[in-house]
Amino acid sequence: MHRLQPLANGLHTDHPVPGLPFVDDGHISVDDPTAVEAIGRHEEGGTWGRWDRISESKGSWIAFTTDPIRQDLAWVVRHHPEHGRTVLLVRDQDASPWHSSWWGPQLLFRQGGYWWDGTTWYRPDQVWDAAGERFYRRPVKAATTITAADLLDDNAHPDGGRLLKIANFDLETPPPDPWNDHLALWAARRPADARPLSQCVVRLSAPELAADQLIGVPEMAKIGNIAASTLRAYIARNQRDVPPPQATINGRNLWARPVAEDWAEERDRSPESAAAKLNSGDGDFSIGLSELRQRLSRRFFGALWERPDRRKRWALRFRTENAVHEIADELALTVAADTGDIIDTHDLAATVRHAFLDEFAYGKHLDEATGDTGPTTFYGITTPVAHMLDWLIRHHPVTAHHLISEIIGDAERRMDIPREVSAESIRTALGLDSKLPRQVRLDFLERALPPTSR
């Protein structure tokens, strides 16, 4: 999301983006989210608008709409009750992604994805926190917030600035220069009760963003442990989530070193990178699959060659279809009779037991959270957990029989769940997700579940 780049500032923004021109947004009610949404919603279609509240702080909201005059463009608005409003003009296809990128504490995005939450500046979101289901937030060291008051001086003249109209806005127009004149015009046109210029954030300054600290493609490729040509290919094809540059000078993309290091860290933390650490060197097999392959290879070789009565079957006159079927059946039996060599059934049973108890605990928690005080007949079991119990029943019914008793007993002793409830939970889960024939399943459960009261 943070890759998206705005095209221009709206006139009524409190936080102008440096370098971008100002466009008149007077025909958009940027202070009313429902009005913003309504502009883009029409029965004819072709345009869209939406607004949502943001839970990060009371009174925060985001909204966007297709521009009613230029339907190739859209306005996106982020409002915060304390820190003000940002209004950006973007391509219409980017409006919804921008809307999503602001769904959180992010108030401003600057310099290739650096963002501000009203207090702290953070580097672009890159390193994914899978457990927390969000990106890790990496604060910028020694960051300084630059405001409009800091930039407006005696050299900024509003007469040199220009306010563009949406109807004739050219997407290919180069950034205005000098931009401070345009900033001065924006400041001069603001109402008397507008936010003080000292609270209108323009950008940040930090040691890592100093011109002499930025790095180019060769240095970034080295940090990522790839060739520079590979990185250029990634950029050209928009692959591998290469972060946008922090600056472009004379056509040369430049990044902050910490941004490059975060990108390299995320690449190294990816599931594919983690799996590569377990590569056995035996083709693309992981260590475990390679070990299994070697065990089966030795077992099959013994079955096919080391026994003289079978070795003779390799003679051409014995190589019939029935003979090959017989050998295939014997090899299949060799594996099926010892699945414990692939996965330890007792370890799996213990894992399934804990999974069921966790499902029960979650079910009880939901009852308490919703105020459901009535008698519970069963707890829902997620499909993957039910599948694993079903697998054990089909492959190792004796182990599964013991396991079911342990689940019911633990639930009764540890969580005061009546055994009837646990039994019905298991019965319902398998009724929904078992691969066993119905009558076979019922016959097994009749013997594995506790007997009903008489």
Side-chain angles (χ1 to χ4, degrees), residues 2-194:
H2 58 264
R3 294 170 176 272
L4 301 171
Q5 297 298 323
L7 300 171
N9 299 278
L11 176 64
H12 293 98
T13 185
D14 288 320
H15 307 295
V17 182
L20 295 182
F22 290 92
V23 180
D24 189 357
D25 59 12
H27 60 302
I28 305 293
S29 300
V30 295
D31 57 346
D32 183 351
T34 58
V36 173
E37 177 185 84
I39 293 171
R41 298 214 176 197
H42 298 288
E43 293 182 359
E44 306 86 50
T47 65
W48 190 242
R50 175 173 174 172
W51 84 276
D52 292 278
R53 292 183 178 87
I54 300 297
S55 59
E56 293 289 336
S57 61
K58 186 176 181 180
S60 285
W61 54 264
I62 49 177
F64 74 88
T65 182
T66 304
D67 186 87
I69 301 172
R70 289 280 301 273
Q71 295 188 4
D72 59 327
L73 301 176
W75 296 94
V76 292
V77 185
R78 173 67 156 99
H79 172 80
H80 189 278
E82 178 183 354
H83 298 293
R85 175 176 53 215
T86 297
V87 183
L88 296 177
L89 182 66
V90 302
R91 291 179 174 82
D92 189 55
Q93 65 265 29
D94 291 338
S96 183
W98 259 105
H99 193 76
S100 299
S101 72
W102 267 333
W103 200 287
Q106 299 88 343
L107 299 180
L108 305 174
F109 290 95
R110 294 291 186 268
Q111 290 167 262
Y114 280 76
W115 60 274
W116 185 64
D117 67 354
T119 304
T120 306
W121 284 98
Y122 297 90
R123 296 203 298 271
D125 292 337
Q126 294 190 89
V127 182
W128 180 247
D129 175 8
E133 296 185 337
R134 65 179 180 86
F135 289 98
Y136 286 103
R137 297 174 185 175
R138 302 284 173 82
V140 181
K141 294 181 179 179
T144 300
T145 300
I146 307 299
T147 68
D150 296 325
L151 296 176
L152 291 173
D153 54 24
D154 293 340
N155 294 319
H157 303 289
D159 293 342
R162 181 185 176 195
L163 179 62
L164 302 179
K165 296 293 185 181
I166 189 71
N168 55 18
F169 178 69
D170 185 359
L171 280 73
E172 304 303 324
T173 300
D177 186 31
W179 185 73
N180 276 19
D181 288 350
H182 298 265
L183 182 64
L185 175 63
W186 163 83
R189 295 179 65 101
R190 304 176 78 236
D193 60 349

Side-chain angles (χ1 to χ4, degrees), residues 392-418:
L392 269 173
I393 294 172
R394 288 185 291 114
H395 293 82
H396 301 280
V398 173
T399 301
H401 190 287
H402 291 298
L403 169 63
I404 289 174
S405 297
E406 290 174 356
I407 291 172
I408 294 172
D410 278 354
E412 186 175 46
R413 289 185 295 271
R414 293 167 53 183
M415 291 183 279
D416 293 325
I417 295 177

